[in-house]
Amino acid sequence: MNAHRLNHHDIQAVKTFEARAERKARAKRFADRIAVVASALIVLALLVPSILGWATR
């Protein structure tokens, strides 16, 4: 038997690792999207009153 051949357990471990990495990457992308949307909303909340002339002096 070849010493470099992966057995079933090794293959499953690699698949599990890859699946975990993909879930973490997906969660990170989702968090990044939430941060971008939140930032855009904050900018809009700060700009809209001044654009509409509602800003207090």
Side-chain angles (χ1 to χ4, degrees):
M1 183 187 290
N2 188 346
H4 296 288
R5 184 176 155 181
L6 295 175
N7 63 30
H8 177 71
H9 180 266
D10 294 332
I11 293 170
Q12 287 304 111
V14 169
K15 286 182 181 178
T16 300
F17 180 81
E18 289 173 344
R20 181 173 179 251
E22 177 57 33
R23 284 193 307 271
K24 285 178 73 174
R26 190 177 303 123
K28 186 177 185 307
R29 285 192 304 268
F30 181 73
D32 289 345
R33 285 188 203 134
I34 294 294
V36 168
V37 169
S39 298
L41 290 175
I42 290 169
V43 168
L44 283 175
L46 294 172
L47 287 178
V48 166
S50 62
I51 290 171
L52 296 178
W54 297 344
T56 58
R57 296 180 186 204

